[in-house]
Amino acid sequence: MERKSAAGSIRNKERSKKKFLDAVGKILKTKGYAGLKVNDIAATAGVDKKMIYTYFGGMDGLIDEYIRSQDYWIKVTTDKIDKIIPGINDGGVSFIKEMLLSQFDYVYTSKEAQKLLLWSISEPRKSLRKLIDTQEENGEYIFDNIFDPHFKERSEDFRAVMAIMVSGLYYLNIFSSVNGSMFCGLDMNSTEGRERIKKAITFLVEQTYENL
């Protein structure tokens, strides 16, 4: 009986934590980051606000965990990379194409990810600084272990290309969500327009590998 009670307690804790994380996402989508208040989050979650401190150590801990759960590049962990590296024999060209295409789709379909991106460039916050630092750490691990060995002395040029591509894909998705769908005559909310962007991603990556 004691084991069952312990297991039930763990399940209840995980359910409550998920309710809090879901509540953060709901408020972020509907009210923006200015609406993330302890009382509002607790009311939306339907859980006593004291549990925010019990489960997360406070608001900062809750926001930290929420951010980690939503960011695309943080999900590409070093453990996953370590499993992939032994099978990479093309300098990482297939890997980066897949990553960029997946990122393009993920941000487009996740309104929460879009809000986080807007938040990260709109307000200084420790949680967001941690997000950026973790993104950079993960990115550095990928560059060090996959791309730098291939590009060698041109590795910084490759990094510059990737910086433009990643940020550009972020912007296209946010733009199409906030201020309209047309960009350079392409409809970013149409299947045809997005497929053209995806073809451009593949083209630019292949050209980079061929010409650097």
Side-chain angles (χ1 to χ4, degrees):
M1 292 295 293
E2 186 175 341
R3 288 183 179 178
K4 289 184 179 179
S5 296
S9 178
I10 291 172
R11 286 195 296 271
N12 287 337
K13 176 181 178 180
E14 292 306 312
R15 280 196 293 267
S16 295
K17 288 180 68 175
K18 186 177 186 304
K19 287 180 180 179
F20 279 126
L21 294 169
D22 290 344
V24 171
K26 183 176 181 179
I27 292 172
L28 192 62
K29 285 190 290 185
T30 56
K31 299 181 180 179
Y33 44 82
L36 294 174
K37 309 296 183 183
V38 171
N39 289 337
D40 290 343
I41 292 172
T44 302
V47 182
D48 191 325
K49 67 180 180 181
K50 293 178 182 177
M51 294 298 101
I52 292 177
Y53 300 91
T54 301
Y55 296 149
F56 303 98
M59 274 290 289
D60 284 343
L62 170 58
I63 299 302
D64 282 350
E65 187 159 336
Y66 171 77
I67 287 172
R68 287 194 299 271
S69 73
Q70 293 299 315
D71 183 70
Y72 174 77
W73 289 101
I74 284 180
K75 291 179 180 180
V76 185
T77 64
T78 55
D79 289 342
K80 292 180 181 178
I81 298 303
D82 286 339
K83 294 177 182 178
I84 293 171
I85 289 173
I88 292 178
N89 54 18
D90 60 358
V93 61
S94 298
F95 171 80
I96 193 58
K97 279 195 286 189
E98 181 183 349
M99 289 299 98
L100 292 172
L101 291 168
S102 297
Q103 175 218 325
F104 186 53
D105 284 336
Y106 174 76
V107 176
Y108 181 70
T109 57
S110 174
K111 300 303 179 185
E112 293 169 69
Q114 294 170 18
K115 292 291 186 180
L116 278 177
L117 286 168
L118 287 171
W119 193 11
S120 69
I121 60 174
S122 302
E123 178 185 321
R125 186 183 177 91
K126 287 183 180 179
S127 299
L128 296 169
R129 182 70 256 176
K130 287 181 182 178
L131 165 66
I132 295 167
D133 289 343
T134 303
Q135 286 174 331
E136 281 299 303
E137 289 172 9
N138 287 3
E140 192 63 28
Y141 190 83
I142 294 171
F143 280 118
D144 286 345
N145 289 278
I146 298 178
F147 304 122
D148 289 357
H150 176 78
F151 287 101
K152 298 182 173 62
E153 69 277 2
R154 302 303 303 274
S155 62
E156 290 193 3
D157 295 322
F158 177 75
R159 288 170 181 245
V161 172
M162 289 302 104
I164 293 170
M165 291 189 68
V166 171
S167 59
L169 296 177
Y170 279 153
Y171 181 81
L172 284 176
N173 278 320
I174 294 173
F175 174 86
S176 63
S177 174
V178 176
N179 276 325
S181 60
M182 300 303 295
F183 198 94
C184 291
L186 298 176
D187 186 348
M188 292 296 106
N189 287 327
S190 72
T191 299
E192 180 181 357
R194 295 187 65 78
E195 284 302 315
R196 287 192 181 278
I197 296 297
K198 289 181 179 182
K199 288 179 181 179
I201 291 170
T202 298
F203 173 79
L204 290 170
V205 170
E206 291 175 350
Q207 288 296 306
T208 300
Y209 269 79
E210 290 176 13
N211 294 292
L212 270 189

